[in-house]
Structures are given as C-alpha cells and as structure tokens.
Amino acid sequence: MVYDELMKSVEAFDNEELRDAAMKVLRKVPEKDWEEFDITGLDESEWILKLAGFGMKWAKKTAGRVANMTEAEADEFDKEMREMRERKRRKASD
C-alpha cells in the first residue's frame, strides 16, 4: 500500500521539521487517495514539495465537494474523516 510506504519513508527523514510537516499532510489525506501518489526517483526535498502540492490539491478538491454536500452528507463526511484520523493516530502509535 502506497500510504504505508510513504509513512516508512517519512519516518526515516533525518530532518525533524520536514518529518513533522510531512506527517501532518499524510494524516490529513485518506489512505486510498495516496494510491495515485508516486515518489519514484525523487530525493527527500523534491518529494516533500510534491507531497505538499498533493495535499493542497486534495484539500481544494475536497473543499469543492464539501461545498456541494447536503447537511447529512457533510455530517457523514466529517464522521469518516474523524474515524480516519483516529485510525491513523492508532497506527502511528503502534
């Protein structure tokens, strides 16, 4: 799974600030959305820039989607996102 590979790569960063910033992005985006993300051949600084761009693109797309949701759909989306973040927190602490 791409998400697990990304987590391992980020955990191996020497630079603590880059590692913390990358972890924040990884935790915000659902695991399934990382499947299209590819860092093959990029060094740490190059793929951090790609990671940030990917996170911003995902947030923009999600904001547009949420803006068109009914209240019930928005509540369900919020619930899914909270569950995802909790799952990722538990996974990270294991």
Side-chain angles (χ1 to χ4, degrees):
M1 176 178 229
V2 173
Y3 177 77
D4 292 333
E5 293 172 23
L6 289 171
M7 287 295 285
K8 288 177 187 172
S9 295
V10 168
E11 288 169 350
F13 281 7
D14 292 331
N15 184 311
E16 189 175 327
E17 289 178 10
L18 280 180
R19 183 176 53 240
D20 292 346
M23 283 295 192
K24 285 180 183 176
V25 175
L26 283 171
R27 289 187 179 120
K28 297 281 182 198
V29 179
E31 295 96 331
K32 64 180 173 33
D33 292 338
W34 288 109
E35 293 304 316
E36 62 190 66
F37 190 76
D38 182 23
I39 59 168
T40 306
L42 301 178
D43 67 25
E44 189 174 290
S45 61
E46 291 172 323
W47 84 256
I48 270 295
L49 291 174
K50 185 175 179 180
L51 179 83
F54 183 85
M56 288 187 295
K57 185 175 156 184
W58 177 86
K60 183 178 177 182
K61 181 175 76 173
T62 301
R65 206 174 90 224
V66 170
N68 295 315
M69 288 181 179
T70 65
E71 188 173 336
E73 290 171 329
D75 288 344
E76 182 62 28
F77 178 76
D78 183 52
K79 179 182 173 187
E80 288 174 16
M81 294 303 288
R82 279 186 274 125
E83 289 171 352
M84 176 205 59
R85 285 191 295 273
E86 181 59 33
R87 190 173 54 252
K88 286 182 179 184
R89 270 193 286 271
R90 283 193 308 265
K91 193 175 197 178
S93 66
D94 290 344

